[in-house]
Amino acid sequence: MERMILRAWDETDCARGHAAALEILARVGVEVRHESGLAFFRKAGARVEHTRVRLPAELVEQALATTPRAFRLRGRDGDGALDLDVRDGPVYFGSGSDCLYVLDPHTGERRRALLADVQAGAGQAQQL
């Protein structure tokens, strides 16, 4: 199995990716299947057609401009020991428990994730 390589984007790559994302959100949109979510987007100025929401670039840019640059994720322990301050700069990784598909570590094949995959990822994360 090949190893993973991380290639960081430069400013030009980031700008191209951002422009492409804005175009996709405006032309293709996103599927929203919750009535209060549809109402929220409609009120904000998005174009809502049934369950398809298309977001104009200006709306996305406004949302990005008003999003906090840092926030705290509360840990499940309740005493603050597992809290995580998320901010610009550091890169954060999870154990993959939210992945619908995984690469099987034995065959290298892409397949639907199983509970055993989540358990294995959590076990590896605890060892770090």
Side-chain angles (χ1 to χ4, degrees):
M1 191 161 50
E2 293 184 30
R3 63 188 174 113
M4 185 174 78
I5 299 173
L6 175 66
R7 292 189 186 117
W9 286 5
D10 62 19
E11 290 295 320
T12 302
D13 293 328
C14 288
R16 286 180 46 222
H18 182 72
L22 290 176
E23 183 177 347
I24 290 167
L25 289 170
R27 287 182 39 206
V28 178
V30 294
E31 187 76 11
V32 178
R33 296 181 182 178
H34 196 273
E35 194 53 48
S36 64
L38 292 168
F40 172 83
F41 282 116
R42 199 176 285 116
K43 183 178 178 183
R47 194 171 86 216
V48 178
E49 300 166 358
H50 305 288
T51 57
R52 177 68 53 174
V53 176
R54 290 180 175 82
L55 302 160
E58 303 79 35
L59 185 61
V60 176
E61 295 289 8
Q62 178 187 5
L64 290 173
T66 58
T67 300
R69 301 307 300 169
F71 58 92
R72 176 167 287 175
L73 289 176
R74 299 285 180 189
R76 64 180 176 213
D77 63 347
D79 69 1
L82 297 176
D83 289 359
L84 176 64
D85 291 319
V86 179
R87 65 191 191 318
D88 282 345
V91 177
Y92 304 93
F93 294 93
S95 61
S97 60
D98 57 346
C99 295
L100 298 178
Y101 293 89
V102 296
L103 291 180
D104 187 287
H106 305 291
T107 66
E109 296 294 318
R110 180 180 184 263
R111 61 168 171 75
R112 297 272 295 163
L114 305 170
L115 178 58
D117 299 313
V118 175
Q119 291 169 331
Q124 290 177 347
Q126 283 184 325
Q127 293 176 12
L128 297 177

